Amino acid sequence: MQHEPVHPAEALLREAKALSATVHQQHFEPQRTAYLAKHLRALETVSRRMLGEHFSLQEEVWRCFDLHVEWVPESIFEQAYTLYDEGLPGSGSIAERLQHWKASLTLPPEKAHVLPSFFQRALTEARRRTQVLVPLPAEEHIEIQTITDQPVRAVASYLGNYRSRILLNPNVPFPLTDLFYVLCHEGYPGHLAEAVLKDEALIQQRGYLEQRVNLLYTPQFVISEGLALLAHEMLFAPGEEEQWLAEQIYPEAGISPVHFDLRKIQQATDLLWGVWCNAAWLLSEGRPDAEVRSYLMRYALMDEEAVSRALASLHRPFHLTYTFTYFYGRRLLEPILQGSQRPRRLHQLLKEQLTPSDLNERFFTEWKNED
């Protein structure tokens, strides 16, 4: 596929419209038809954007991601600060305590070479726990490779045939408390587990060949990112991550942490994805970078270097809209993945073709009163 010619936007738009006009004539199952129609709407929107057409941010997010979005109230961020205050050790401002806490748990540069082995150890544990909830194909396998030429901590890719890869950069500072937060997000039961299980359930068993194509600015990624943010909470009860890390990782890393509540800290971090959403609103209104920078520094507890990276990311093509998938994806899935039915619903999320409006409808019509 990497050697295929690049299709001009005019051709992509023409083909998306033609497929949209005929998808309801294919006699597919109703859920598959609705899923394909929403993804074709997203592809048509991206093609029109490439041709210079402008949409409001709200309309573009709806057309691409099947989401209705609005300004995130700053009261949500106050909830995050309360969680940080309860979960972080020490005294001083929340930003200072958060920075000190991360620094105290970051693997020293002279020990960066052991990070891949820590990742492998945590990956094995995450896979074991995932198997209890959702059986994986016997031949499924994730390999970990190191990279040094990309400014990322870790990035995952599905290679097909139940084989996956996580690329890890040991030169990027890594707080060891993020081991499962990252590995569950990228691997089990997050992105790679979803790719493997949908390959098995949809492509191999049902012949849904469209599942081989994962186009980023489409509704499926709201569910993927929401599931990935919640992935570690599917495997660990509150306190279990800290206990496992204290037994398996910290002694070898030479770290002796003071008491903290990791679950509250991680939940606060996820709530602050809403700050990115509001930054996207400000940029879409034409507000100057200086104003957006100030907003991020005030509410996201970022330093100037982190804010510069955030702004650069938001200015990438289409990334203003993709930013909403994290905050809204987690908010959509969190009430669904609660109670005694959580394993069954997790299984459905990992194996079915679903969009945000599907989940909203199913939750309020079928699931809300099950537990």
Side-chain angles (χ1 to χ4, degrees):
M1 293 179 63
Q2 65 189 33
H3 301 299
E4 291 182 0
V6 176
H7 285 254
E10 295 89 343
L12 294 174
L13 178 58
R14 184 170 59 250
E15 292 168 6
K17 285 183 173 180
L19 289 169
S20 295
T22 59
V23 67
H24 292 280
Q25 303 168 15
Q26 303 304 313
H27 306 295
F28 294 146
E29 298 90 336
Q31 184 172 324
R32 185 186 185 190
T33 299
Y35 177 89
L36 288 170
K38 290 171 185 174
H39 281 70
L40 288 168
R41 180 182 67 195
L43 298 181
E44 180 183 334
T45 302
V46 171
S47 299
R48 289 165 65 180
R49 276 286 313 276
M50 292 170 64
L51 288 169
E53 189 170 346
H54 176 75
F55 299 93
S56 70
L57 183 63
Q58 194 168 35
E59 182 180 5
E60 188 173 327
V61 173
W62 174 75
R63 293 183 64 88
C64 285
F65 296 111
D66 195 33
L67 278 177
H68 294 284
V69 298
E70 56 191 14
W71 180 268
V72 179
E74 280 81 6
S75 58
I76 297 290
F77 313 147
E78 295 295 334
Q79 295 174 27
Y81 306 148
T82 298
L83 288 168
Y84 274 138
D85 191 43
E86 295 171 352
L88 286 167
S91 58
S93 71
I94 290 174
E96 291 169 343
R97 288 156 60 191
L98 183 60
Q99 183 179 13
H100 178 75
W101 176 76
K102 286 182 177 180
S104 70
L105 292 159
T106 296
L107 193 65
E110 64 271 16
K111 292 191 175 183
H113 63 281
V114 301
L115 187 59
S117 68
F118 289 169
F119 257 68
Q120 187 61 61
R121 202 176 304 169
L123 185 68
T124 300
E125 179 67 12
R127 188 182 196 278
R128 182 186 71 80
R129 290 173 179 255
T130 299
Q131 282 276 35
V132 175
L133 295 174
V134 186
L136 297 161
E139 60 271 42
E140 184 275 335
H141 178 71
I142 295 177
E143 64 174 340
I144 294 176
Q145 292 185 357
T146 58
I147 56 172
T148 58
D149 60 345
Q150 298 182 39
V152 296
R153 293 197 300 179
V155 62
S157 60
Y158 181 54
L159 307 175
N161 297 318
Y162 306 144
R163 294 291 189 268
S164 307
R165 178 181 298 138
I166 294 178
L167 300 176
L168 166 67
N169 190 339
N171 294 333
V172 174
F174 194 96
L176 292 175
T177 46
D178 283 352
L179 264 179
F180 287 112
Y181 188 80
V182 171
L183 279 172
C184 294
H185 184 117
E186 299 291 348
Y188 309 110
H191 291 323
L192 295 180
E194 182 185 11
V196 165
L197 290 167
K198 285 183 175 173
D199 187 341
E200 179 184 57
L202 296 174
I203 300 173
Q204 305 304 326
Q205 295 178 9
R206 304 183 71 176
Y208 286 15
L209 298 183
E210 69 272 12
Q211 200 62 40
R212 290 179 175 170
V213 181
N214 288 305
L215 298 166
L216 199 58
Y217 303 103
T218 53
Q220 63 182 317
F221 277 93
V222 178
I223 294 170
S224 291
E225 295 296 2
L227 179 59
L229 284 176
L230 288 162
H232 64 104
E233 295 185 23
M234 299 300 99
L235 303 187
F236 295 93
E240 285 187 342
E241 279 186 75
E242 295 100 312
Q243 182 179 350
W244 191 93
L245 292 167
E247 294 172 355
Q248 302 292 331
I249 300 297
Y250 295 152
E252 189 173 338
I255 290 174
S256 300
V258 297
H259 175 74
F260 56 87
D261 190 323
L262 185 57
R263 178 61 57 86
K264 288 184 177 180
I265 295 169
Q266 291 168 336
Q267 289 177 341
T269 299
D270 287 351
L271 283 175
L272 292 187
W273 274 109
V275 182
W276 288 63
C277 296
N278 287 354
W281 281 113
L282 293 173
L283 288 171
S284 74
E285 294 169 0
R287 305 289 186 89
D289 278 8
E291 181 179 346
V292 181
R293 178 184 295 274
S294 177
Y295 189 88
L296 285 166
M297 292 188 70
R298 177 181 179 184
Y299 287 107
L301 307 180
M302 292 179 173
D303 58 29
E304 291 193 15
E305 183 179 350
V307 167
S308 294
R309 292 196 300 269
L311 276 172
S313 175
L314 288 169
H315 279 300
R316 286 161 46 197
F318 297 102
H319 204 70
L320 281 187
T321 52
Y322 196 83
T323 294
F324 289 87
T325 64
Y326 298 100
F327 179 82
Y328 281 89
R330 176 172 174 125
R331 190 168 78 168
L332 175 67
L333 266 60
E334 190 168 17
I336 292 170
L337 292 171
Q338 303 292 331
S340 62
Q341 299 300 316
R342 184 169 74 174
R344 179 174 66 84
R345 293 173 189 168
L346 176 63
H347 195 274
Q348 290 173 291
L349 290 167
L350 289 167
K351 290 198 168 191
E352 293 184 21
Q353 289 182 329
L354 294 165
T355 66
S357 56
D358 292 332
L359 290 184
N360 275 322
E361 180 179 355
R362 187 175 296 189
F363 178 68
F364 286 108
T365 60
E366 300 177 33
W367 291 346
K368 194 169 184 180
N369 298 317
E370 284 183 343
D371 293 315

PDB file of all heavy atoms in Angstrom, residues 47-74:
ATOM      1  N   SER A  47     -12.203  14.915   2.360  1.00  0.00           N
ATOM      2  CA  SER A  47     -11.918  15.249   0.955  1.00  0.00           C
ATOM      3  C   SER A  47     -12.336  16.683   0.635  1.00  0.00           C
ATOM      4  O   SER A  47     -11.613  17.412  -0.060  1.00  0.00           O
ATOM      5  CB  SER A  47     -12.656  14.270   0.032  1.00  0.00           C
ATOM      6  OG  SER A  47     -12.241  12.947   0.259  1.00  0.00           O
ATOM      7  N   ARG A  48     -13.486  17.094   1.140  1.00  0.00           N
ATOM      8  CA  ARG A  48     -13.942  18.470   0.898  1.00  0.00           C
ATOM      9  C   ARG A  48     -13.023  19.484   1.574  1.00  0.00           C
ATOM     10  O   ARG A  48     -12.743  20.552   1.022  1.00  0.00           O
ATOM     11  CB  ARG A  48     -15.381  18.612   1.389  1.00  0.00           C
ATOM     12  CG  ARG A  48     -16.394  17.876   0.507  1.00  0.00           C
ATOM     13  CD  ARG A  48     -17.752  17.706   1.166  1.00  0.00           C
ATOM     14  NE  ARG A  48     -18.418  18.987   1.394  1.00  0.00           N
ATOM     15  CZ  ARG A  48     -19.625  19.098   1.952  1.00  0.00           C
ATOM     16  NH1 ARG A  48     -20.275  18.009   2.340  1.00  0.00           N
ATOM     17  NH2 ARG A  48     -20.168  20.299   2.127  1.00  0.00           N
ATOM     18  N   ARG A  49     -12.538  19.148   2.761  1.00  0.00           N
ATOM     19  CA  ARG A  49     -11.575  20.018   3.434  1.00  0.00           C
ATOM     20  C   ARG A  49     -10.298  20.144   2.615  1.00  0.00           C
ATOM     21  O   ARG A  49      -9.716  21.234   2.495  1.00  0.00           O
ATOM     22  CB  ARG A  49     -11.235  19.464   4.821  1.00  0.00           C
ATOM     23  CG  ARG A  49     -12.193  19.837   5.941  1.00  0.00           C
ATOM     24  CD  ARG A  49     -12.036  21.292   6.385  1.00  0.00           C
ATOM     25  NE  ARG A  49     -10.647  21.660   6.578  1.00  0.00           N
ATOM     26  CZ  ARG A  49      -9.939  21.435   7.683  1.00  0.00           C
ATOM     27  NH1 ARG A  49     -10.503  20.829   8.708  1.00  0.00           N
ATOM     28  NH2 ARG A  49      -8.679  21.821   7.766  1.00  0.00           N
ATOM     29  N   MET A  50      -9.845  19.042   2.054  1.00  0.00           N
ATOM     30  CA  MET A  50      -8.626  19.058   1.241  1.00  0.00           C
ATOM     31  C   MET A  50      -8.791  19.927   0.005  1.00  0.00           C
ATOM     32  O   MET A  50      -7.815  20.466  -0.522  1.00  0.00           O
ATOM     33  CB  MET A  50      -8.240  17.634   0.841  1.00  0.00           C
ATOM     34  CG  MET A  50      -7.783  16.768   2.018  1.00  0.00           C
ATOM     35  SD  MET A  50      -7.607  15.019   1.578  1.00  0.00           S
ATOM     36  CE  MET A  50      -6.284  15.104   0.363  1.00  0.00           C
ATOM     37  N   LEU A  51     -10.033  20.085  -0.436  1.00  0.00           N
ATOM     38  CA  LEU A  51     -10.317  20.923  -1.601  1.00  0.00           C
ATOM     39  C   LEU A  51     -10.562  22.378  -1.211  1.00  0.00           C
ATOM     40  O   LEU A  51     -10.922  23.196  -2.051  1.00  0.00           O
ATOM     41  CB  LEU A  51     -11.522  20.370  -2.358  1.00  0.00           C
ATOM     42  CG  LEU A  51     -11.271  19.059  -3.121  1.00  0.00           C
ATOM     43  CD1 LEU A  51     -12.578  18.455  -3.600  1.00  0.00           C
ATOM     44  CD2 LEU A  51     -10.333  19.316  -4.297  1.00  0.00           C
ATOM     45  N   GLY A  52     -10.397  22.698   0.076  1.00  0.00           N
ATOM     46  CA  GLY A  52     -10.486  24.083   0.516  1.00  0.00           C
ATOM     47  C   GLY A  52     -11.799  24.486   1.136  1.00  0.00           C
ATOM     48  O   GLY A  52     -11.971  25.647   1.536  1.00  0.00           O
ATOM     49  N   GLU A  53     -12.754  23.552   1.250  1.00  0.00           N
ATOM     50  CA  GLU A  53     -14.036  23.898   1.859  1.00  0.00           C
ATOM     51  C   GLU A  53     -13.867  24.045   3.373  1.00  0.00           C
ATOM     52  O   GLU A  53     -13.074  23.334   3.996  1.00  0.00           O
ATOM     53  CB  GLU A  53     -15.073  22.814   1.554  1.00  0.00           C
ATOM     54  CG  GLU A  53     -16.485  23.203   1.956  1.00  0.00           C
ATOM     55  CD  GLU A  53     -17.530  22.234   1.420  1.00  0.00           C
ATOM     56  OE1 GLU A  53     -17.201  21.416   0.534  1.00  0.00           O
ATOM     57  OE2 GLU A  53     -18.684  22.303   1.899  1.00  0.00           O
ATOM     58  N   HIS A  54     -14.625  24.936   3.961  1.00  0.00           N
ATOM     59  CA  HIS A  54     -14.520  25.190   5.397  1.00  0.00           C
ATOM     60  C   HIS A  54     -15.796  24.748   6.106  1.00  0.00           C
ATOM     61  O   HIS A  54     -16.902  24.969   5.619  1.00  0.00           O
ATOM     62  CB  HIS A  54     -14.302  26.686   5.662  1.00  0.00           C
ATOM     63  CG  HIS A  54     -14.281  27.035   7.113  1.00  0.00           C
ATOM     64  ND1 HIS A  54     -13.206  26.759   7.930  1.00  0.00           N
ATOM     65  CD2 HIS A  54     -15.224  27.631   7.902  1.00  0.00           C
ATOM     66  CE1 HIS A  54     -13.485  27.163   9.160  1.00  0.00           C
ATOM     67  NE2 HIS A  54     -14.697  27.702   9.169  1.00  0.00           N
ATOM     68  N   PHE A  55     -15.615  24.086   7.250  1.00  0.00           N
ATOM     69  CA  PHE A  55     -16.722  23.732   8.139  1.00  0.00           C
ATOM     70  C   PHE A  55     -16.461  24.376   9.498  1.00  0.00           C
ATOM     71  O   PHE A  55     -15.313  24.584   9.882  1.00  0.00           O
ATOM     72  CB  PHE A  55     -16.805  22.216   8.334  1.00  0.00           C
ATOM     73  CG  PHE A  55     -17.049  21.427   7.082  1.00  0.00           C
ATOM     74  CD1 PHE A  55     -15.984  20.911   6.345  1.00  0.00           C
ATOM     75  CD2 PHE A  55     -18.335  21.195   6.635  1.00  0.00           C
ATOM     76  CE1 PHE A  55     -16.200  20.183   5.190  1.00  0.00           C
ATOM     77  CE2 PHE A  55     -18.572  20.453   5.480  1.00  0.00           C
ATOM     78  CZ  PHE A  55     -17.502  19.955   4.753  1.00  0.00           C
ATOM     79  N   SER A  56     -17.526  24.654  10.226  1.00  0.00           N
ATOM     80  CA  SER A  56     -17.327  25.047  11.611  1.00  0.00           C
ATOM     81  C   SER A  56     -16.727  23.862  12.349  1.00  0.00           C
ATOM     82  O   SER A  56     -16.878  22.700  11.934  1.00  0.00           O
ATOM     83  CB  SER A  56     -18.652  25.452  12.251  1.00  0.00           C
ATOM     84  OG  SER A  56     -19.489  24.305  12.422  1.00  0.00           O
ATOM     85  N   LEU A  57     -16.035  24.149  13.451  1.00  0.00           N
ATOM     86  CA  LEU A  57     -15.420  23.069  14.214  1.00  0.00           C
ATOM     87  C   LEU A  57     -16.477  22.080  14.686  1.00  0.00           C
ATOM     88  O   LEU A  57     -16.281  20.856  14.610  1.00  0.00           O
ATOM     89  CB  LEU A  57     -14.655  23.643  15.407  1.00  0.00           C
ATOM     90  CG  LEU A  57     -13.891  22.629  16.269  1.00  0.00           C
ATOM     91  CD1 LEU A  57     -12.797  21.942  15.466  1.00  0.00           C
ATOM     92  CD2 LEU A  57     -13.287  23.320  17.488  1.00  0.00           C
ATOM     93  N   GLN A  58     -17.601  22.577  15.155  1.00  0.00           N
ATOM     94  CA  GLN A  58     -18.661  21.697  15.653  1.00  0.00           C
ATOM     95  C   GLN A  58     -19.180  20.783  14.560  1.00  0.00           C
ATOM     96  O   GLN A  58     -19.375  19.575  14.772  1.00  0.00           O
ATOM     97  CB  GLN A  58     -19.800  22.547  16.224  1.00  0.00           C
ATOM     98  CG  GLN A  58     -20.791  21.772  17.059  1.00  0.00           C
ATOM     99  CD  GLN A  58     -21.706  22.692  17.834  1.00  0.00           C
ATOM    100  OE1 GLN A  58     -22.079  23.758  17.346  1.00  0.00           O
ATOM    101  NE2 GLN A  58     -22.078  22.315  19.041  1.00  0.00           N
ATOM    102  N   GLU A  59     -19.393  21.341  13.357  1.00  0.00           N
ATOM    103  CA  GLU A  59     -19.901  20.521  12.260  1.00  0.00           C
ATOM    104  C   GLU A  59     -18.863  19.505  11.807  1.00  0.00           C
ATOM    105  O   GLU A  59     -19.179  18.340  11.529  1.00  0.00           O
ATOM    106  CB  GLU A  59     -20.319  21.394  11.075  1.00  0.00           C
ATOM    107  CG  GLU A  59     -20.898  20.575   9.925  1.00  0.00           C
ATOM    108  CD  GLU A  59     -21.317  21.411   8.730  1.00  0.00           C
ATOM    109  OE1 GLU A  59     -21.070  22.637   8.739  1.00  0.00           O
ATOM    110  OE2 GLU A  59     -21.880  20.833   7.780  1.00  0.00           O
ATOM    111  N   GLU A  60     -17.604  19.912  11.748  1.00  0.00           N
ATOM    112  CA  GLU A  60     -16.564  18.996  11.294  1.00  0.00           C
ATOM    113  C   GLU A  60     -16.393  17.826  12.263  1.00  0.00           C
ATOM    114  O   GLU A  60     -16.223  16.682  11.838  1.00  0.00           O
ATOM    115  CB  GLU A  60     -15.231  19.738  11.132  1.00  0.00           C
ATOM    116  CG  GLU A  60     -14.153  18.890  10.485  1.00  0.00           C
ATOM    117  CD  GLU A  60     -12.906  19.692  10.170  1.00  0.00           C
ATOM    118  OE1 GLU A  60     -13.018  20.888   9.844  1.00  0.00           O
ATOM    119  OE2 GLU A  60     -11.811  19.109  10.259  1.00  0.00           O
ATOM    120  N   VAL A  61     -16.448  18.105  13.568  1.00  0.00           N
ATOM    121  CA  VAL A  61     -16.342  17.024  14.547  1.00  0.00           C
ATOM    122  C   VAL A  61     -17.517  16.067  14.401  1.00  0.00           C
ATOM    123  O   VAL A  61     -17.354  14.842  14.477  1.00  0.00           O
ATOM    124  CB  VAL A  61     -16.266  17.591  15.980  1.00  0.00           C
ATOM    125  CG1 VAL A  61     -16.331  16.468  17.012  1.00  0.00           C
ATOM    126  CG2 VAL A  61     -14.981  18.381  16.168  1.00  0.00           C
ATOM    127  N   TRP A  62     -18.715  16.605  14.175  1.00  0.00           N
ATOM    128  CA  TRP A  62     -19.876  15.735  13.992  1.00  0.00           C
ATOM    129  C   TRP A  62     -19.742  14.906  12.723  1.00  0.00           C
ATOM    130  O   TRP A  62     -19.968  13.688  12.737  1.00  0.00           O
ATOM    131  CB  TRP A  62     -21.163  16.556  13.933  1.00  0.00           C
ATOM    132  CG  TRP A  62     -22.354  15.705  13.596  1.00  0.00           C
ATOM    133  CD1 TRP A  62     -23.009  14.822  14.412  1.00  0.00           C
ATOM    134  CD2 TRP A  62     -23.003  15.622  12.318  1.00  0.00           C
ATOM    135  NE1 TRP A  62     -24.027  14.200  13.733  1.00  0.00           N
ATOM    136  CE2 TRP A  62     -24.048  14.670  12.437  1.00  0.00           C
ATOM    137  CE3 TRP A  62     -22.807  16.266  11.094  1.00  0.00           C
ATOM    138  CZ2 TRP A  62     -24.891  14.345  11.384  1.00  0.00           C
ATOM    139  CZ3 TRP A  62     -23.648  15.949  10.034  1.00  0.00           C
ATOM    140  CH2 TRP A  62     -24.677  15.005  10.182  1.00  0.00           C
ATOM    141  N   ARG A  63     -19.347  15.538  11.618  1.00  0.00           N
ATOM    142  CA  ARG A  63     -19.260  14.825  10.346  1.00  0.00           C
ATOM    143  C   ARG A  63     -18.165  13.767  10.370  1.00  0.00           C
ATOM    144  O   ARG A  63     -18.328  12.688   9.801  1.00  0.00           O
ATOM    145  CB  ARG A  63     -19.024  15.812   9.199  1.00  0.00           C
ATOM    146  CG  ARG A  63     -20.190  16.762   8.908  1.00  0.00           C
ATOM    147  CD  ARG A  63     -19.874  17.649   7.711  1.00  0.00           C
ATOM    148  NE  ARG A  63     -19.730  16.835   6.513  1.00  0.00           N
ATOM    149  CZ  ARG A  63     -20.726  16.488   5.707  1.00  0.00           C
ATOM    150  NH1 ARG A  63     -21.954  16.885   5.980  1.00  0.00           N
ATOM    151  NH2 ARG A  63     -20.504  15.754   4.639  1.00  0.00           N
ATOM    152  N   CYS A  64     -17.047  14.066  11.013  1.00  0.00           N
ATOM    153  CA  CYS A  64     -15.930  13.118  11.029  1.00  0.00           C
ATOM    154  C   CYS A  64     -16.076  12.061  12.128  1.00  0.00           C
ATOM    155  O   CYS A  64     -15.730  10.895  11.919  1.00  0.00           O
ATOM    156  CB  CYS A  64     -14.608  13.857  11.218  1.00  0.00           C
ATOM    157  SG  CYS A  64     -14.020  14.741   9.755  1.00  0.00           S
ATOM    158  N   PHE A  65     -16.577  12.474  13.305  1.00  0.00           N
ATOM    159  CA  PHE A  65     -16.494  11.579  14.464  1.00  0.00           C
ATOM    160  C   PHE A  65     -17.846  11.222  15.070  1.00  0.00           C
ATOM    161  O   PHE A  65     -17.885  10.542  16.095  1.00  0.00           O
ATOM    162  CB  PHE A  65     -15.598  12.220  15.533  1.00  0.00           C
ATOM    163  CG  PHE A  65     -14.170  12.379  15.081  1.00  0.00           C
ATOM    164  CD1 PHE A  65     -13.635  13.639  14.832  1.00  0.00           C
ATOM    165  CD2 PHE A  65     -13.367  11.273  14.876  1.00  0.00           C
ATOM    166  CE1 PHE A  65     -12.330  13.784  14.401  1.00  0.00           C
ATOM    167  CE2 PHE A  65     -12.058  11.403  14.451  1.00  0.00           C
ATOM    168  CZ  PHE A  65     -11.532  12.666  14.208  1.00  0.00           C
ATOM    169  N   ASP A  66     -18.951  11.692  14.459  1.00  0.00           N
ATOM    170  CA  ASP A  66     -20.273  11.322  14.975  1.00  0.00           C
ATOM    171  C   ASP A  66     -20.447  11.824  16.405  1.00  0.00           C
ATOM    172  O   ASP A  66     -21.069  11.165  17.237  1.00  0.00           O
ATOM    173  CB  ASP A  66     -20.444   9.795  14.904  1.00  0.00           C
ATOM    174  CG  ASP A  66     -21.893   9.338  15.064  1.00  0.00           C
ATOM    175  OD1 ASP A  66     -22.789  10.084  14.625  1.00  0.00           O
ATOM    176  OD2 ASP A  66     -22.107   8.252  15.627  1.00  0.00           O
ATOM    177  N   LEU A  67     -19.883  12.981  16.693  1.00  0.00           N
ATOM    178  CA  LEU A  67     -19.917  13.557  18.032  1.00  0.00           C
ATOM    179  C   LEU A  67     -20.542  14.949  18.003  1.00  0.00           C
ATOM    180  O   LEU A  67     -20.245  15.742  17.103  1.00  0.00           O
ATOM    181  CB  LEU A  67     -18.499  13.715  18.589  1.00  0.00           C
ATOM    182  CG  LEU A  67     -17.796  12.529  19.231  1.00  0.00           C
ATOM    183  CD1 LEU A  67     -16.381  12.946  19.637  1.00  0.00           C
ATOM    184  CD2 LEU A  67     -18.560  12.004  20.426  1.00  0.00           C
ATOM    185  N   HIS A  68     -21.350  15.246  19.005  1.00  0.00           N
ATOM    186  CA  HIS A  68     -21.829  16.606  19.231  1.00  0.00           C
ATOM    187  C   HIS A  68     -21.019  17.181  20.393  1.00  0.00           C
ATOM    188  O   HIS A  68     -21.079  16.665  21.511  1.00  0.00           O
ATOM    189  CB  HIS A  68     -23.331  16.608  19.544  1.00  0.00           C
ATOM    190  CG  HIS A  68     -24.177  16.157  18.393  1.00  0.00           C
ATOM    191  ND1 HIS A  68     -24.447  16.970  17.303  1.00  0.00           N
ATOM    192  CD2 HIS A  68     -24.786  14.976  18.139  1.00  0.00           C
ATOM    193  CE1 HIS A  68     -25.197  16.309  16.434  1.00  0.00           C
ATOM    194  NE2 HIS A  68     -25.418  15.096  16.918  1.00  0.00           N
ATOM    195  N   VAL A  69     -20.251  18.228  20.121  1.00  0.00           N
ATOM    196  CA  VAL A  69     -19.326  18.745  21.123  1.00  0.00           C
ATOM    197  C   VAL A  69     -19.656  20.195  21.458  1.00  0.00           C
ATOM    198  O   VAL A  69     -20.311  20.894  20.699  1.00  0.00           O
ATOM    199  CB  VAL A  69     -17.863  18.636  20.636  1.00  0.00           C
ATOM    200  CG1 VAL A  69     -17.480  17.188  20.412  1.00  0.00           C
ATOM    201  CG2 VAL A  69     -17.637  19.454  19.356  1.00  0.00           C
ATOM    202  N   GLU A  70     -19.180  20.615  22.618  1.00  0.00           N
ATOM    203  CA  GLU A  70     -19.387  21.987  23.072  1.00  0.00           C
ATOM    204  C   GLU A  70     -18.194  22.388  23.934  1.00  0.00           C
ATOM    205  O   GLU A  70     -17.316  21.563  24.240  1.00  0.00           O
ATOM    206  CB  GLU A  70     -20.687  22.083  23.869  1.00  0.00           C
ATOM    207  CG  GLU A  70     -20.742  21.115  25.033  1.00  0.00           C
ATOM    208  CD  GLU A  70     -22.124  21.011  25.659  1.00  0.00           C
ATOM    209  OE1 GLU A  70     -23.103  21.487  25.044  1.00  0.00           O
ATOM    210  OE2 GLU A  70     -22.216  20.452  26.765  1.00  0.00           O
ATOM    211  N   TRP A  71     -18.175  23.634  24.327  1.00  0.00           N
ATOM    212  CA  TRP A  71     -17.123  24.122  25.220  1.00  0.00           C
ATOM    213  C   TRP A  71     -17.175  23.326  26.526  1.00  0.00           C
ATOM    214  O   TRP A  71     -18.240  23.112  27.097  1.00  0.00           O
ATOM    215  CB  TRP A  71     -17.345  25.605  25.491  1.00  0.00           C
ATOM    216  CG  TRP A  71     -16.327  26.227  26.399  1.00  0.00           C
ATOM    217  CD1 TRP A  71     -16.411  26.358  27.760  1.00  0.00           C
ATOM    218  CD2 TRP A  71     -15.079  26.806  26.019  1.00  0.00           C
ATOM    219  NE1 TRP A  71     -15.292  26.982  28.255  1.00  0.00           N
ATOM    220  CE2 TRP A  71     -14.455  27.267  27.211  1.00  0.00           C
ATOM    221  CE3 TRP A  71     -14.422  26.983  24.800  1.00  0.00           C
ATOM    222  CZ2 TRP A  71     -13.208  27.889  27.205  1.00  0.00           C
ATOM    223  CZ3 TRP A  71     -13.183  27.603  24.793  1.00  0.00           C
ATOM    224  CH2 TRP A  71     -12.587  28.052  25.984  1.00  0.00           C
ATOM    225  N   VAL A  72     -16.007  22.857  26.988  1.00  0.00           N
ATOM    226  CA  VAL A  72     -15.942  22.082  28.227  1.00  0.00           C
ATOM    227  C   VAL A  72     -15.894  23.055  29.403  1.00  0.00           C
ATOM    228  O   VAL A  72     -14.975  23.874  29.494  1.00  0.00           O
ATOM    229  CB  VAL A  72     -14.706  21.164  28.239  1.00  0.00           C
ATOM    230  CG1 VAL A  72     -14.647  20.383  29.553  1.00  0.00           C
ATOM    231  CG2 VAL A  72     -14.726  20.212  27.044  1.00  0.00           C
ATOM    232  N   PRO A  73     -16.860  22.996  30.323  1.00  0.00           N
ATOM    233  CA  PRO A  73     -16.859  23.938  31.457  1.00  0.00           C
ATOM    234  C   PRO A  73     -15.590  23.801  32.296  1.00  0.00           C
ATOM    235  O   PRO A  73     -15.123  22.693  32.556  1.00  0.00           O
ATOM    236  CB  PRO A  73     -18.095  23.524  32.263  1.00  0.00           C
ATOM    237  CG  PRO A  73     -18.947  22.756  31.312  1.00  0.00           C
ATOM    238  CD  PRO A  73     -18.007  22.085  30.365  1.00  0.00           C
ATOM    239  N   GLU A  74     -15.045  24.947  32.711  1.00  0.00           N
ATOM    240  CA  GLU A  74     -13.842  24.907  33.536  1.00  0.00           C
ATOM    241  C   GLU A  74     -14.076  24.215  34.873  1.00  0.00           C
ATOM    242  O   GLU A  74     -13.122  23.785  35.528  1.00  0.00           O
ATOM    243  CB  GLU A  74     -13.300  26.323  33.761  1.00  0.00           C
ATOM    244  CG  GLU A  74     -12.485  26.882  32.607  1.00  0.00           C
ATOM    245  CD  GLU A  74     -13.322  27.442  31.475  1.00  0.00           C
ATOM    246  OE1 GLU A  74     -14.567  27.493  31.642  1.00  0.00           O
ATOM    247  OE2 GLU A  74     -12.760  27.829  30.425  1.00  0.00           O
TER     248      GLU A  74
END
